[in-house]
Amino acid sequence: MQKHTDFAEFIEITPTARIDPARHGWRAKCLQRLIRLDLPVPRTAALPCDTVRAIAAGQLPDVNRLAALFDGVLVSIRPSPANPAWGGPGTVLNVGMNADKHAEFTREQGAAFADAIYLGFVQSYAIHVARLDPDMFTAEPSAAALAAALAAYEAEMDEEFPQSRAQQLTEVMRSMARAWEGTTARLLREAKGAPADAALGLVVQEMAQAMGPALSGRGKIQMIEGVTGAPQITGRFRGLNPANRKAEETLYLVKDRRGHSLEEAAPEVFAELQKHCLTCRARLREEMQVEFALENGALKVIDAVTVPRSSRAAVRVAVTLANDGIISRDDAILRVEPRALSELLHYQVDPRVPRDRIVTGIAASPGGASGRIVFSAADAQASAARDERCILVRRETAPEDIRGMHAAVAIVTERGGMTSHAAVIARGLGLPCIVGASDISISLRDKTLTAKGGRVFREGDVITVDGTSGEVLAGQAEMLEPALDKWFTTLLHWADNVRDIGVRANADTPDDARTARMFEAEGIGLCRTEHMFFDEDRLTVMREMIFADTAKDRKVALDRLLPMQRADFTALFDIMAGLPVCIRLFDPPLHEFLPHDREGMRELAEALDRPLSEVMRRVEALSEFNPMLGMRGVRIGVTVPEIYEMQARAIFEATVEASKRGAAVVPEVMIPLVSAKREVELVKTRIDAVAAAVRNATGAEFDYRLGVMVETPRAALRAGEIAQHAAFLSFGTNDLTQMTYGLSRDDAGRFMSDYVQKGVYPEDPFHVLDEDGVGELLLIGSARGRQIRQDVTLSVCGEHGGNPASIAFCRRSGFDYVSCSPFRVPVARLAAAQFALTDQRDSEKMY
Ligand code: PEP
Ligand code: MG
């Protein structure tokens, strides 16, 4: 014998009933609010989660009291989880329909209406409750179809279609309760952030029967358009055509040229609906989509949900509600998901169009772009010269590809992870990028890309990169435009007023700096200077410098680079107009500037007027087994000090020049890859001397700040003594993560998804800061630094600087600012404001 659940707990929703969203679900709570607002909601009852859970566990509900509450009427049963995003089983309508009701409806409304309702219920009961084959129950309504469906049910189930209301209620609730516990439903809601023990409530509501001589039907209405958020009455109404009253048809809500509208057919109902929407907006403090029924001319409000909306509409709605005094500015800030902002900054592949997917990889930089495939940086530049949009497809990218990357509209690499070269550069440039697309194979010889099933794409074929979803698509796709509108700007200004951690941008070029200004970054937190040497004319001089046999020869080459660097820095200072600019001294291994193939070496030998064998010997001598752990960063600064001296001179001369025109510039000079205090001392002595020389030569006074990039574990551990010589410590969490894990940032993409799927790492640590490990080094480094030098400025300039969870960590740890790619600056500004607000609200709750 199965036990009966005590149904004392179901509760009729009245204005004063004790409805708790955690127990009865969001839908029950929302319906209670509508009832309190005096909206014409049909009788409704809520079943709490614990009861639904007991039903799923096998207890049979005693539905007599519930059936009595809805005596003689049909009901709908809808899911009501705590959060609408968690979904739930589909609504079942017209529960209680049986032969008696069919006879009653036939008498009152005619056979067609009665057949349609009964058949609809038998179909949904057979498919969703009895789990019979849907193919047997798909006929259009007619008396014959109804008879056939009832017969099919009886044949399959060996019993008559249930006629008892109590049995129908019991079985529908049981099937919904069990559907909620199913594995697929569980995985789907967990992906939307539901906890493992998320529970389901149910809402039982008297059906508003869309029938009668006066206008009848069902519909939905909302006062805004869901893609842009602009005011516009939108929705549908489906009912009998008021002109001929025969066929059921869809009416538009608002009068227009397309045909009949609800506005014309029932102007008073239309006005009442608008009034209800406005009441919901003012009192529920949200733009709601109202579901309604017209029952013989009388309006019923069945349900209301927040209007489904794009990110762009979400921003506009939040700002407009605050401007109208309905919510506070703080609430507006909290209502927009920061990550969604990046959708507004780029073209997006229109989500409504069908997709012909070639491969899915890691979504490394958001946005969408279509263009012709090219397989080399040189071809990308050639395409751009012809004014042709191209997509650069590579196994992986290297610093020498930078010009080609600039020329492309999007980038795809077969290898790499979130902080591989392609990913970092693309985010900086705001280009859509997919890395780690390991299911494609690229043949550089044949200039083809082969997808997993063997489909081949050639150079010149048009493809689309959706960097937001990580999908590469065949052909050209429809795009949605970026939207840096006044609502976006307003929301971010409100965010700036409450945020308590700074946000700077990583910017290497004048273009980057302009983007950083456009997104209102508070300065440049990292300028990677090496990218300035990849211009064709500079690369040759750079190579001459590398090949110089004597310090004198080296100086000749560096003297030629000096004015170029000075012009680079002057441009940055001018654009940033007095905002801080942090310039990192040269960082990569020198071999990155040398050709890798024989042809390139031959050309170099010719350019340098040296024998090919010598060039090959030099290249060989500079190659390292583990270049990322070899001669790079400050190690070059210590062993070949002239490079840093040239850069320092360029920075200081640019400072003097830019300060003449505008606000006094106080440049920040940053030393990369430090692991020992002595490295800083050696470099500092030389840079101080260069500053003194420039002051002497120009007669101008200027200040500068020298700081250290903490990106080796040892630098974090020895941050105390290092801070003696550093005005700031900027944590380069890309290298720091690489070195803490002993995990190559350029190769990890190959197995990262396996690692995350198997739960080895909770997330890709190059994407979300590993608070337990790398985070502890940040805490140790910042505490030791501050102990020795209280006013030392602390920041993060790795890619984590643009990740909301990592920003929260930096804020909690007392960092002064984060620095991220310019296109992530708006996300960081909003996320930082939200953390400040939630902290503030939590502490107000405590006191
Ligand atoms: C870092 O290592 O975190 C960093 C910002 O430098 P890069 O990415 O240039 O190595
Ligand atoms: Mg680094």
Side-chain angles (χ1 to χ4, degrees), residues 526 528 584 587 632 709 711 732-735 745 797-798:
L526 170 63
R528 295 174 163 106
R584 175 177 80 185
D587 181 45
R632 57 170 283 215
M709 204 164 168
E711 46 188 347
T733 45
N734 301 335
D735 272 311
R745 56 199 265 201
C797 65

Side-chain angles (χ1 to χ4, degrees), residues 751-763:
F751 54 89
M752 188 56 75
S753 64
D754 258 9
Y755 252 52
V756 173
Q757 246 165 32
K758 295 201 167 99
V760 184
Y761 303 153
E763 309 253 15

